[in-house]
Amino acid sequence: MNAVPEPQFGERLNEAQREAATYGQVDERRFKAGPLLIIAGAGTGKTNTLAHRVAHLLLSEVHPERIALMTFSRRAATEMLLRAESITARSMAARSARGTDATRRMWSGTFHSIANRLLREFASTIGMEPTFSVIDRGDSGDLIDIQRQALNLGKLGKRFPRKDTCLAIYSHRVNTRASLSDTMESAYPWCAEWESELNQLFRKYVAAKQAQQMLDYDDLLLYWHALVQEPSVAEVIGSRFDHVLVDEYQDTNTLQAEILLALKPDGDGLCVVGDDAQSIYSFRAATVDNILGFADQFTPKAGVVTLSDNYRSVQPVLDAANRLMTEGETGFDKNLRSTRGSGQKPKYVMVDDDHHQALYVVENILAKREEGTRLRDQAVLMRKSSDSDALEVELVRRDIPYVKYGGLKFLESAHVKDVLGILRFVDNPRNRIAAFRTLQLLPGVGPANAEKCLEALEAANYLHTALASVDMPAAAREEWETLRGLIIDLAAESTWAGQMTRVRHWYEPHIERLHGAAHVRAGDIEQLEAIALRHPSRDQFLTELTLDPPNASSDEAGDPLKDEDYLILSTVHSAKGQEWDTVSVLNVTDGTFPSEFSADDADQVEEERRLLYVAMTRAKYELSLVAPHKHYITEQRRFGAKHLYGARSRFMTDTLLECFESTSWTDGPGVAAKDASISNVKIDVGAKMRSMWDE
């Protein structure tokens, strides 16, 4: 039997994908390319196209060390490189130096992970030690709260922003490069009166981080940005890379765009991929203007390739998504075309209230399961995590397991933060947040005892061995002897293997005293240990876990991963990049789509349109938008109101509804909104009402 020949490079790409993957030319025996913008509509094979471009660069003998690939998750980078490796190997008929090893030698990962790598290399240039710690959002909030309390900002007689709001203001301001006053005017107007106090708070927060050799999530970009604002340094770093590829460019913020411009001021070798219609992260300071203005920034050199062939959804779903976006005010013109052909129209389902919405969705899910669609091939999407509360109650009642994305994150759990706090204290004794958390795990130890311990540590120039001379209250002495011995031993060890296990063994006996539900929490710590085994060092484990944390949670329906199947619940923001056979979107009413908080801002309304577009384009075959007539509002009951009426979403125009099958649903199968037998009957109710007042 003759072997089936391996496909040649690009053989399975469509014309536009092939153009994007091979854009550029050989000049002076080197492959060069000017600035390139790839507009990749939903489901158009963006990842495959970008992976082929990476493979093409390797096949064109571009040295892998001179290629940088920046993504928004480590998983995306890994998937892209695996595909590129496979494509390269197939095209060369054998694995070689430009196969497996080549992708490992590339600079690849998230913006923040690449920043972390560069900043450690250039630590002396920016006034840091190479061993600086990267703290997560939770620790950042705790540190800012310490400074907030030190300034007595919570005791000014009026409502001062809480720590999470303070951190959000800080993050928004530094990522947008806007002034503090502009940030508060545009995003936090109720905080405007506190501008002076917030400025003072942020100054102390920055000083505290620097004193403790810590960088937060935003600092990684801030310090990288500061590094490349020095022209000589920018030239050194930029000259390392002949090609810089950026995925999900629509999600970049001003800071990231300025970093890229500093690295590649003329745009040569810069390739960005994204979809302006999926720009939905302005709350993280992302700006759609980056992708909309990319070509103009490098005119006339910039090339633009648009991918429009959709490999995910049937055409009726795309017709609705296309219509939704054509009614918007901004964006590139694109019309998604399905390679899957036709299918049934998406549904616009009107229900009485949240309870009936949950019943409809569950009945539909079970019906699809009986027809052969697995639970894990179905998803329920929502604008915010709490929108699924009523549905989750019904899922538990019906014994339907599920995983939820966009709710409580794994690393936000107190017991997980405890264990990571111990490791962070071992890794960086200057990290006061980690130290305070670790020391207060001991019985009878509060802030005062913890502070005395840290003072002794500081006096000894932050040598862990100084802990041996620190005494603790009687209730804690036995456990303190064990804990400090563990910390001193781990700090002195050069081998990472087994350290996480030792920390787990010390911590597990304390779970019940600290938090309760020991058996459940112990399972999470074991999961954390399994993650640790995949990292070669403690600092890499802590840093990468901070930069790319797990984000799924399950609820009382039981552990879904131990069941035969499980449903997916997700916020729309967390669903981006995913796809399912069947998708239901909850609460498609005005006030949710678009959010009530965006109603007075035209730009925000357009982002809400894009959010609905992202939700709709997750569906392969069947899509349902569910619109409750009433919403029960717990907070309103003290005023006598039990519910609010939901108006039809302003996005669901009459022309858009033509793309849907509109139905109503009560406690049973859907009933057509218009019975065919009376579809031609017209009643002039207006005339009847006017005639009541005829003399």
Side-chain angles (χ1 to χ4, degrees), residues 23 33-37 266-271 294 298 301-304:
Y23 184 85
L36 173 64
L37 169 63
D266 58 3
D268 285 345
L270 181 59
C271 170
F294 181 87
F298 297 110
K301 295 172 60 177
V304 180

Side-chain angles (χ1 to χ4, degrees), residues 289-412:
D289 293 339
N290 285 348
I291 193 168
L292 293 177
F294 181 87
D296 292 338
Q297 188 175 33
F298 297 110
T299 299
K301 295 172 60 177
V304 180
V305 178
T306 301
L307 309 183
S308 298
D309 288 346
N310 179 284
Y311 296 89
R312 175 187 298 157
S313 306
V314 293
Q315 192 60 47
V317 170
L318 297 182
D319 288 340
N322 289 334
R323 182 74 59 85
L324 173 69
M325 295 311 297
T326 58
E327 295 181 356
E329 297 180 358
T330 60
F332 292 104
D333 291 333
K334 52 183 164 310
N335 188 51
L336 298 180
R337 303 179 297 269
S338 175
T339 60
R340 290 184 179 273
S342 189
Q344 67 182 58
K345 271 188 172 186
K347 295 179 181 179
Y348 177 70
V349 184
M350 294 162 282
V351 296
D352 186 54
D353 55 21
D354 296 342
H355 172 65
H356 286 84
Q357 175 175 248
L359 291 177
Y360 165 76
V361 169
V362 170
E363 290 292 344
N364 195 49
I365 287 167
L366 292 176
K368 298 309 300 180
R369 179 175 179 271
E370 290 304 308
E371 292 173 11
T373 303
R374 298 180 305 175
L375 291 177
R376 71 186 69 183
D377 293 327
Q378 303 183 58
V380 182
L381 307 183
M382 66 226 61
R383 176 65 180 79
K384 58 184 186 297
S385 182
S386 60
D387 286 347
S388 65
D389 288 352
L391 174 61
E392 291 183 58
V393 170
E394 188 64 19
L395 290 173
V396 171
R397 192 177 74 82
R398 302 283 194 103
D399 194 27
I400 300 175
Y402 63 91
V403 169
K404 185 176 182 180
Y405 295 87
L408 178 66
K409 303 297 189 294
F410 178 68
L411 296 189
E412 292 172 359

Side-chain angles (χ1 to χ4, degrees), residues 350 661-664 671-682:
M350 294 162 282
E661 174 190 341
S662 296
T663 64
S664 295
V671 179
K674 292 185 178 180
D675 192 293
S677 65
I678 58 171
S679 60
N680 294 321
V681 176
K682 305 294 182 185

Side-chain angles (χ1 to χ4, degrees), residues 683-694:
I683 303 174
D684 193 345
V685 178
K688 291 179 178 291
M689 296 301 104
R690 291 192 299 272
S691 68
M692 292 174 60
W693 305 98
D694 291 342

Side-chain angles (χ1 to χ4, degrees), residues 61-108:
E61 299 190 354
V62 177
H63 291 284
E65 297 88 347
R66 302 190 64 79
I67 302 173
L69 171 63
M70 302 182 194
T71 63
F72 275 80
S73 73
R74 184 175 56 192
R75 184 184 65 179
T78 301
E79 179 183 354
M80 202 107 43
L81 293 182
L82 287 174
R83 289 198 193 188
E85 174 189 321
S86 176
I87 295 163
T88 305
R90 287 202 311 268
S91 298
M92 297 187 74
R95 295 187 180 275
S96 70
R98 299 204 175 276
T100 306
D101 185 56
T103 57
R104 292 176 183 169
R105 287 152 50 201
M106 286 173 51
W107 284 66
S108 65

